[in-house]
Amino acid sequence: MNRFNLRLVARNTPGSLERILNTSRVRGFNINDFKAALDSQHNYAIEMAVSGERNIEQLILQLTKQFDIRELEHRRCRDAS
């Protein structure tokens, strides 16, 4: 199973966190960890870990289409040996 860490900055609007989580679920990814906090500009600073068999690029594409998303970074987790 592929594991990825995502860092997002999203506007603080009603339903923005729910849309992020729902998009991840619909695209076939499990949420392994999720942290969100408001930054100094009252945007959400989000860190989340996801895992799944599907291509991460499809999830990234769908998340960046959301009007609330301001920034998005991702990196693959190294498998523990």
Side-chain angles (χ1 to χ4, degrees):
M1 187 166 290
N2 298 317
R3 297 177 54 190
F4 297 90
N5 288 326
L6 303 174
R7 286 187 164 189
L8 301 94
V9 174
R11 292 188 327 162
N12 179 8
T13 60
S16 62
L17 296 177
E18 183 177 355
R19 283 187 291 277
I20 292 167
L21 293 170
N22 190 51
T23 299
S24 301
R25 181 189 59 79
V26 167
R27 292 294 166 200
F29 286 87
N30 296 316
I31 308 294
N32 303 108
D33 189 38
F34 186 88
K35 297 176 188 167
L38 290 175
D39 65 14
S40 59
Q41 288 84 32
H42 301 287
N43 290 315
Y44 285 116
I46 302 165
E47 292 185 23
M48 59 190 283
V50 299
S51 61
E53 296 297 328
R54 300 180 97 180
N55 186 341
I56 190 69
E57 296 304 322
Q58 188 62 34
L59 176 59
I60 299 301
L61 178 65
Q62 294 303 313
L63 287 173
T64 56
K65 287 182 180 180
Q66 292 185 16
F67 66 90
D68 292 325
I69 303 297
R70 296 290 175 234
E71 297 175 26
L72 192 151
E73 297 176 21
H74 74 283
R75 67 180 167 88
R76 186 176 188 144
C77 296
R78 294 184 185 208
D79 292 331
S81 301

